[in-house]
Amino acid sequence: MERGDRQSLVRKTSSSYRTFPESTARRLDKEYLRSLHNKRLYLAVFAAVLGNFSFGFALVYPSPVIPALEAHPSPALRLDQHTAPWFGSVFTLGAAAGGLSAMLLNDCLGRKLSIMFSALPSALGYALLAGAQGLWMLLLGRVLTGYAGGVTSASIPVYISEISHPGVRGMLGACPQIMAVLGSLVLYALGLVLDWRWLAVAGELPVLAMILLLCFMPNSPRFLLSQGKEEEALGSLCWLRGEDTDYAREYEQIKDSVRKQSRRVSCAELKDPFLYKPILIAGGMRFLQQLSGVTCILMYLQPIFKKTSVILKPEYDAALVGLVRLSAVAIAAVSMDKAGRKILLFVSAGVMLASNLTMGFYIHFVPVSHNGTVANTTLVSSANLPAGPTNYITLIPLLAAMLFIMGYAMGWGPITWLLMSEILPLKARGVASGLCVVNTFGLEVPFLFFAVISAGNILFTGCCVPETKGRSLEQIESFFRTGRRSFLR
């Protein structure tokens, strides 16, 4: 669309836009959704979620690398019982810092440029890991990749929700989690054939692809309107929806919503349920999501399997869990806009509760020495397997981990990020990542604690989380502004 035509359309939509009765508006919305062309929208989402692929890749990097570095011949690079936990956990420190800085970056640079900015620390971090000559380079590389992951985790869901329409926002909102899962799975697979340095080199590829593709993608129409760039916002929406669609009505709805939130948040406004309710819900969900233990379990998957002496080799167990996780999050993506958000959150928390209880009680009641004897015998020589099914008890930790990851990926993984970007008002869409680190009270204690948190997830979903399936961001904001549930029916 030419510049003059776009300016004319801006003036035309501003003067001709009008509201309709609720039944007519719903009919027009359905007709509009059927007319949309989503190919460019899907391309923009794919370009953005390459950042989540890199995040998932970097998150589980310690899983195959810690065992390799514990046996490294060079003392400068060898990890011990004190340095190995630091190598895993400093990533979360970087992620928390990245999430906090994203609150400022999202408003100053915009969603798209914030995602592109994350490529700098990510590429530098992988370079440090690939060429590490000492522990400080390993730790700094982990902090930088964690920082980049924190920025993308806070920016990508917001970008996707703001460029998507209600018909596909649930499905596309699960894409960040799908790509993070895929990134972790690729890391596990490559860990079977590449050493730790080449794994870091492989991590550079999705970062470079992301920044190249995003150069050609539009910024969020809502962000552009908040900056007063009406013509650019209309052009962005036109590119995302297709020139032959009636996107003018959606543009005016977005414009009206942005206009109502154009002022900065004051201290007095924080008492308004329109602001504090969605912020508390989003913050509570993110807090519970991280306390569920997923970061700890994914980051230390191979050490956990080694500790519990699973019958298979830890690296193969980790790859199996990655496959289950990918399948579960794919199921969530296709069912989120049909089944709804709340039912998937209930199922997800229930599955996590059962799996954590199973793992905790298994570790508590089955002696590790007995597991180790059976499992080690199995791995060393299949000819010396004990008669009977006793050795198969060591499959319980693997099955419990698969169940936990499946439950998390079905609900509390993707839906937490989606709801955060849906329910937060435009002026408050920059939320920090959480921080979660394992302690050393005994391996069963964290799993039983995670089980308690999963039970809390069920209660929180029932009492606090609204259903947002098929609702526009403007309808969700109206619900929190007025408290009328009719906006979400």
Side-chain angles (χ1 to χ4, degrees), residues 193-237:
V193 295
L194 297 179
D195 74 1
W196 60 278
R197 291 190 189 274
W198 282 105
L199 282 177
V201 173
E204 299 277 12
L205 299 179
V207 177
L208 296 176
M210 177 193 73
I211 198 167
L212 287 174
L213 284 175
L214 280 177
C215 288
F216 303 98
M217 300 300 115
N219 215 323
S220 156
R222 286 174 176 82
F223 170 75
L224 292 172
L225 280 172
S226 70
Q227 302 297 304
K229 301 175 180 179
E230 295 189 10
E231 186 183 346
E232 287 186 47
L234 187 62
S236 172
L237 195 62

Side-chain angles (χ1 to χ4, degrees), residues 34 119 138 158 213 365 416 467:
R34 284 194 294 266
L138 292 173
V158 177
L213 284 175
F365 289 111
T416 297
E467 179 57 74

Side-chain angles (χ1 to χ4, degrees), residues 64-110:
V65 172
I66 286 178
L69 290 178
E70 285 177 335
H72 200 280
S74 171
L77 291 171
R78 190 183 306 131
L79 298 180
D80 56 29
Q81 60 179 344
H82 302 293
T83 55
W86 276 106
F87 181 72
S89 60
V90 293
F91 180 91
T92 57
L93 296 175
L100 287 168
S101 65
M103 291 192 291
L104 181 62
L105 292 172
N106 277 337
D107 289 334
C108 296
L109 299 179

